[in-house]
């Protein structure tokens, strides 16, 4: 029996040596016909998974945090989107008062539009089709009056036009006893806020 056991053990060792020299792997309990390389690759990937998992999770969390931060930054209002500190609504003296009149002209098509905010909270727009009157609503009416009361408007020049540019829209605004003309070629945040708010009422072509 010892001779038989010794011979069996020697045979196993010899077989292992042969398999090892040919680059094969002896897998106990593996399904017959399954490629040994595939089993090794799977085991290697599984073994590497735990160590690479946290790194991937960390990278994903970092990317997610960066994306959230970018989204928050984009959603946050820019400093130029709100009136200057200390802006108060301009007073209303009567329902027929013209708080502001803005005329838009020029462009390739020769546009001529006009929007007027009145003391009764209505907005009158004029174009080639005739006048249209709409009510601003309390919140929008107050917003427009705050924009008109922005102290930063006092520093806006009366005339900011790029005379070398052609076919640009020209904006003429009359309010607080002033007349301002601009083609929006200069950066004037307080005036831009007012023009943007009034432009919401203009007809869309």
């Amino acid at each position: 029996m010892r001779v038989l056991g010794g011979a069996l053990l020697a045979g196993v060792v010899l077989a292992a040596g042969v398999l090892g020299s040919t680059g094969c792997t002896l897998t106990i309990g593996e399904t017959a016909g399954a490629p040994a390389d595939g089993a090794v690759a799977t085991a290697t990937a599984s073994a590497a998974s735990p160590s690479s998992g946290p790194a991937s999770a960390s990278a994903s969390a970092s990317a997610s945090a960066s994306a959230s931060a970018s989204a928050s930054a984009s959603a946050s209002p820019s400093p130029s989107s709100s009136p200057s500190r200390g802006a108060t609504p301009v007073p209303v003296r009567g329902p027929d008062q013209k708080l502001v009149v803005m005329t838009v002209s020029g462009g390739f098509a020769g546009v001529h539009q006009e929007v007027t905010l009145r003391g009764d909270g209505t907005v009158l727009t004029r174009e080639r089709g005739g006048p249209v009157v709409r009510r601003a609503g309390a919140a929008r009416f107050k917003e427009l009056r705050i924009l008109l009361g922005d102290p930063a408007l006092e520093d806006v020049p009366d005339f900011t036009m790029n005379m070398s540019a052609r076919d640009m829209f020209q904006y003429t605004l009359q309010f607080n006893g002033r007349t301002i003309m601009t083609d929006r070629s200069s950066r004037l945040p307080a005036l831009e806020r007012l023009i943007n708010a009034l432009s919401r009422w203009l007809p869309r072509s």
Side-chain angles (χ1 to χ4, degrees):
M1 290 296 291
R2 286 183 180 178
V3 174
L4 180 59
L8 181 59
L9 179 60
V12 171
V13 170
L14 178 60
V18 172
L19 289 173
S21 65
T22 58
C24 297
T25 302
L26 179 64
T27 306
I28 305 300
E30 186 178 347
T31 305
D37 288 347
V40 172
T42 302
T44 303
S46 300
S49 256
S51 60
S52 63
S56 299
S58 176
S60 300
S62 177
S64 178
S66 298
S68 299
S70 299
S72 298
S74 300
S76 301
S78 62
S80 62
S81 66
S82 302
S84 305
R85 182 175 299 178
T88 56
V90 294
V92 177
R93 296 189 301 269
D96 296 329
Q97 176 189 1
K98 294 181 180 179
L99 296 174
V100 59
V101 178
M102 181 178 76
T103 304
V104 184
S105 58
F108 290 103
V111 170
H112 187 87
Q113 300 174 322
E114 184 179 293
V115 55
T116 303
L117 177 65
R118 301 191 292 195
D120 60 355
T122 58
V123 178
L124 170 67
T125 58
R126 295 180 185 274
E127 203 182 19
R128 293 170 182 171
V132 176
V133 178
R134 288 175 289 177
R135 184 162 294 279
R140 184 61 57 83
F141 185 47
K142 183 178 180 180
E143 175 195 355
L144 290 168
R145 289 168 55 219
I146 289 175
L147 293 174
L148 284 167
D150 192 337
L153 287 173
E154 298 175 6
D155 299 326
V156 173
D158 291 340
F159 189 87
T160 53
M161 303 279 287
N162 184 356
M163 303 308 294
S164 63
R166 296 181 179 181
D167 298 318
M168 294 185 68
F169 289 113
Q170 300 173 3
Y171 296 81
T172 302
L173 293 94
Q174 297 173 303
F175 61 95
N176 295 340
R178 296 182 62 189
T179 298
I180 294 178
M181 296 182 65
T182 182
D183 58 5
R184 307 181 79 170
S185 58
S186 300
R187 187 177 182 278
L188 304 166
L191 186 60
E192 286 296 308
R193 288 190 288 266
L194 180 58
I195 290 175
N196 289 337
L198 291 171
S199 295
R200 298 173 189 164
W201 299 94
L202 293 175
R204 302 296 180 185
S205 54

